[in-house]
Amino acid sequence: MNTPKAYTQGWIEFYKLRFKVTPDVLIPRPETELLIDEVLNYIKENKKENIIVLDVGTGSGAIAISITKNLSASQTNTQIIATDISKEALKVAKQNAKLHGVLDKITFIQSDLLSDLDPSTQESTGLFPTQDDNLIIVTNLPYIPTERIPYLDSSVKDFEPFIALDGGEDGFELYRKLFSQIVKKGWKPKLLVGEIDYTHGELAIYEAQKYFPKSNVEVIKDLAHLQRILKITF
């Protein structure tokens, strides 16, 4: 059996931090660290007050926790919210948050993307302002086309959770759903960054501009020079 080392040892290093991982969560990859860089740079450069960072599909919690741990002393008023559809994944994320001493600084909510996030619900009351002028959305949604999953390395397809890999027919279905939910809720984030498949550059730009026609959209390459990060500024 080609069990991933991260699962056998029970942890992996990500953004210079050690995270617990189980088969209930996707193993964080180095390229995902670019998402944290983009969020931290935006916060530093814009120097806004009362920023809300929403990590959609948090998995092990690596993104939300890494952002929280790397905020400067002047950014302690930044609010971090992490969601996932999986109860099991949220358990792992909370364990990691406790391990790194930030459990009290992150609000964890079970939600299918943004479906269960609404200012009118008890769980979300007070989390979102009426005008989301300081909202940042960061996400690493599943983006592998369904038909490509059987051809992935066995260490991925046979061990990592299918729900964390499958991006639907063309791999971009969950991003379309997220974009649609943002529009329907009338949210006005300042920044949205998401990890995408290396083949999705043109598609990601097209879809982002379709849902957010007044936004600025770009795709950032990773260290392997592959299209990897979709960045939308509003």
Side-chain angles (χ1 to χ4, degrees), residues 11-212:
W11 61 270
I12 193 168
E13 185 173 301
F14 177 86
Y15 218 78
K16 298 182 180 180
L17 298 170
R18 181 174 290 192
F19 289 92
K20 174 182 178 179
V21 290
T22 75
D24 291 317
V25 299
L26 191 75
I27 299 170
R29 267 70 168 182
E31 52 266 28
T32 305
E33 295 182 351
L34 294 173
L35 291 174
I36 291 97
D37 290 339
E38 289 296 328
V39 172
L40 292 175
N41 287 339
Y42 182 88
I43 293 174
K44 181 179 179 180
E45 292 171 2
N46 287 273
K47 298 179 181 178
K48 289 182 176 291
E49 295 294 321
N50 304 313
I51 290 175
I52 297 173
V53 177
L54 173 60
D55 175 19
V56 181
T58 195
S60 65
I63 293 173
I65 294 166
S66 296
I67 292 171
T68 305
K69 291 287 289 184
N70 284 278
L71 290 171
S72 69
S74 63
Q75 299 158 347
T76 54
N77 61 343
T78 301
Q79 189 175 10
I80 311 292
I81 303 164
T83 76
D84 205 285
I85 193 172
S86 166
K87 285 184 178 180
E88 292 74 20
L90 285 173
K91 288 179 182 177
V92 176
K94 289 177 181 179
Q95 290 171 354
N96 278 319
K98 184 177 181 179
L99 174 67
H100 290 291
V102 294
L103 184 58
D104 61 334
K105 297 180 179 179
I106 302 175
T107 301
F108 291 96
I109 301 175
Q110 184 179 8
S111 178
D112 180 3
L113 301 183
L114 309 182
S115 298
D116 301 304
L117 296 181
D118 192 289
S120 65
T121 64
Q122 182 176 359
E123 191 172 34
S124 301
T125 298
L127 294 177
F128 300 100
T130 304
Q131 297 294 326
D132 304 297
D133 292 332
N134 296 330
L135 175 62
I136 295 172
I137 298 177
V138 57
T139 185
N140 182 14
L141 294 177
Y143 54 67
I144 299 174
T146 305
E147 65 178 13
R148 198 200 300 166
I149 293 178
Y151 301 97
L152 296 175
D153 188 87
S154 63
S155 64
V156 177
K157 69 177 181 179
D158 295 336
F159 293 94
E160 299 198 62
F162 182 82
I163 193 174
L165 298 171
D166 183 25
E169 184 176 355
D170 68 351
F172 210 74
E173 288 185 7
L174 288 173
Y175 275 98
R176 291 191 190 91
K177 183 176 179 180
L178 175 64
F179 295 167
S180 176
Q181 289 179 345
I182 292 171
V183 172
K184 288 180 180 179
K185 287 178 177 292
W187 286 8
K188 299 176 181 178
K190 285 297 183 184
L191 173 70
L192 188 156
V193 286
E195 183 174 328
I196 61 173
D197 186 75
Y198 68 95
T199 66
H200 281 164
E202 291 185 6
L203 174 64
I205 291 173
Y206 170 80
E207 293 290 346
Q209 291 177 334
K210 182 173 70 175
Y211 284 93
F212 312 113

